[in-house]
Amino acid sequence: MTTNKSRSRGRPRRFDPDAAVVTAQQLFHARGYDAVSVADVTDALGINPPSFYAAFGSKAGLYQRVLDHWTGTAAIPLGDILRPDVPVAVALAAMLEEAARRYASGPAAGGCLVLEGTRCSDEDAREAARALNLGAESFIRDYIAARHPDAANEVTDFVATTMSGLSAKARSGHDLPRLLATARLAGSALEKTLSA
Amino acid sequence: MTTNKSRSRGRPRRFDPDAAVVTAQQLFHARGYDAVSVADVTDALGINPPSFYAAFGSKAGLYQRVLDHWTGTAAIPLGDILRPDVPVAVALAAMLEEAARRYASGPAAGGCLVLEGTRCSDEDAREAARALNLGAESFIRDYIAARHPDAANEVTDFVATTMSGLSAKARSGHDLPRLLATARLAGSALEKTLSA
DNA sequence: GATTTTATGTAGTGCTCACTACATTAATAA
DNA sequence: TTATTAATGTAGTGAGCACTACATAAAATC
């Protein structure tokens, strides 16, 4: 007998939506929201469109599920990296390096799923990604403001801009060493600015 | 009698392709290559699709014409900014500030036409933009290498990444003061790195 | 003014997209 | 086993896309 792992409730399903989210996350991350069609997803999952729409409602609905899953598994753990017991500049530099590592074009060549999502053409998906990104930036801003209130806004903009650039360059072919060197150079600017 | 300004040769035309390129440049810059349809262009010009295709061959063909016009009119004048008689870090900082000014969301809210073009879904248009961008990066790299050969690669990557980030943030709503502050912070990192 | 050339307007091509109506099959409940 | 419920497969919908065939109108040439 084939066991059906992870049924969300008593209601049985023929395919596993959670596994579908993982597959979809890989597709979206590798090729971007716009470039992945619903047909691509249904083909990858071996299902037909009605099953897809019964489970997710729409392409943007699937993307929302992917973002939810991503925050729990693949997002940079800001709470761990932005520690109160290290200098702010050191913590931010570590964050940029971690971003470089995660954006580097490995097997799935992708940049940041969220930052790239904020640039897609579908309004619902774009706003969902933007909301997530704004939340992360607020977290960073609050962290900086606790010890450097006057510099919080511009330093947040700087690291956010650097991360957007790193994601774009990862997508356009920069490999890990190049991204890391860029992240470190950006990090060195922080130590100078925040040493007041 | 209505005078037909700027006919490219003895052959008369009912509409002016040069003016069409200017209009198309505004559309592409404001909304991005993918988001502008051929119908948008023909509507804006008051012409019909056959006239469009007789003049430009394809949507990517029009984009190539737009890029050509852009290099002659709207591109950052790297040759003027990257002067041999000022410190490299100062010149690069000036370039980043000029980028911030040009990317700032004015009436056409747009970032960099070329950097944004490198991210579009049409292969021909994307490669045309990438070629232009790679040329600019080579120019910057050569400028740096003349006086700081060991740092040329990583400093070029850093300024290119910063410019990509500035363009992305311009598109997502950062106004001129925010972009300028970010550019200046990035510029300060260069003075430190290149002061050896 | 007649003829040839060139540009235009009308109308449509085939394609891909996100999304769906409906009949059918499979799993559950009685 | 039978009745009910739920998920699936087949096959399509309409909309938007880049692009074009073809007949017509306007210039240019003679």
Side-chain angles (χ1 to χ4, degrees):
Chain A
M1 73 174 51
T2 60
T3 54
N4 203 350
K5 60 178 177 180
S6 132
R7 52 184 61 181
S8 58
R9 192 56 62 87
R11 296 176 178 182
R13 290 181 176 274
R14 311 280 175 72
F15 83 103
D16 185 344
D18 293 335
V21 168
V22 173
T23 299
Q25 176 174 324
Q26 296 168 345
L27 287 174
F28 285 141
H29 197 187
R31 305 189 347 226
Y33 182 86
D34 288 333
V36 175
S37 70
V38 172
D40 291 331
V41 176
T42 54
D43 288 352
L45 297 175
I47 63 174
N48 292 298
S51 298
F52 175 90
Y53 286 98
F56 303 111
S58 68
K59 185 184 171 185
L62 169 64
Y63 187 64
Q64 183 65 65
R65 292 274 300 267
V66 167
L67 290 179
D68 292 342
H69 179 258
W70 182 87
T71 57
T73 60
I76 295 175
L78 296 182
D80 296 339
I81 295 177
L82 303 183
R83 304 173 60 89
D85 57 346
V86 300
V88 171
V90 172
L92 293 175
M95 181 186 70
L96 291 177
E97 288 196 26
E98 183 63 22
R101 264 184 275 273
R102 292 183 186 241
Y103 298 171
S105 23
C112 174
L113 179 74
V114 175
L115 290 175
E116 298 303 312
T118 62
R119 305 168 63 82
C120 78
S121 65
D122 182 273
E123 184 173 341
D124 291 339
R126 192 172 60 239
E127 290 308 313
R130 284 177 63 93
L132 218 52
N133 181 49
L134 285 176
E137 290 189 11
S138 289
F139 187 92
I140 295 169
R141 186 176 295 108
D142 291 345
Y143 173 76
I144 300 171
R147 277 177 281 175
H148 302 273
D150 293 343
N153 282 330
E154 69 177 346
V155 170
T156 301
D157 281 353
F158 174 76
V159 297
T161 300
T162 300
M163 290 173 83
S164 283
L166 288 172
S167 181
K169 288 301 184 184
R171 288 225 122 209
S172 75
H174 282 206
D175 57 14
L176 177 58
R178 292 178 77 177
L179 294 177
L180 265 181
T182 299
R184 292 192 175 120
L185 214 165
S188 75
L190 296 171
E191 293 174 20
K192 180 182 176 187
T193 300
L194 294 176
S195 64
Chain B
M1 78 175 48
T2 59
T3 55
N4 202 350
K5 61 179 177 180
S6 139
R7 54 184 58 179
S8 60
R9 192 57 63 85
R11 296 178 176 179
R13 290 183 178 274
R14 313 281 176 72
F15 85 101
D16 186 342
D18 292 335
V21 167
V22 173
T23 300
Q25 178 175 322
Q26 295 168 345
L27 287 174
F28 285 140
H29 198 189
R31 300 179 5 217
Y33 183 87
D34 288 333
V36 175
S37 71
V38 171
D40 290 332
V41 176
T42 55
D43 288 353
L45 296 174
I47 62 174
N48 293 296
S51 300
F52 175 89
Y53 286 97
F56 303 112
S58 69
K59 184 184 174 187
L62 169 65
Y63 188 64
Q64 183 66 62
R65 294 273 300 267
V66 167
L67 289 179
D68 293 342
H69 179 258
W70 182 87
T71 57
T73 60
I76 295 176
L78 297 182
D80 296 339
I81 294 176
L82 303 183
R83 303 172 61 88
D85 58 345
V86 300
V88 171
V90 172
L92 292 175
M95 181 186 71
L96 291 177
E97 287 196 26
E98 183 63 20
R101 265 184 275 272
R102 292 182 185 243
Y103 298 170
S105 23
C112 175
L113 179 73
V114 175
L115 290 175
E116 298 302 313
T118 62
R119 305 168 64 80
C120 78
S121 66
D122 182 273
E123 184 173 340
D124 290 340
R126 193 172 61 237
E127 291 307 315
R130 284 178 65 93
L132 218 53
N133 182 49
L134 285 176
E137 290 189 10
S138 290
F139 188 91
I140 295 169
R141 186 175 294 108
D142 292 344
Y143 173 76
I144 299 170
R147 277 178 281 176
H148 301 274
D150 292 345
N153 282 330
E154 69 177 345
V155 170
T156 301
D157 280 352
F158 174 74
V159 296
T161 300
T162 301
M163 290 173 83
S164 282
L166 288 171
S167 181
K169 287 301 183 185
R171 290 224 121 210
S172 76
H174 282 206
D175 57 13
L176 178 57
R178 292 177 79 178
L179 294 177
L180 265 181
T182 300
R184 290 192 177 118
L185 215 165
S188 75
L190 296 172
E191 294 173 20
K192 180 182 176 187
T193 300
L194 295 176
S195 64

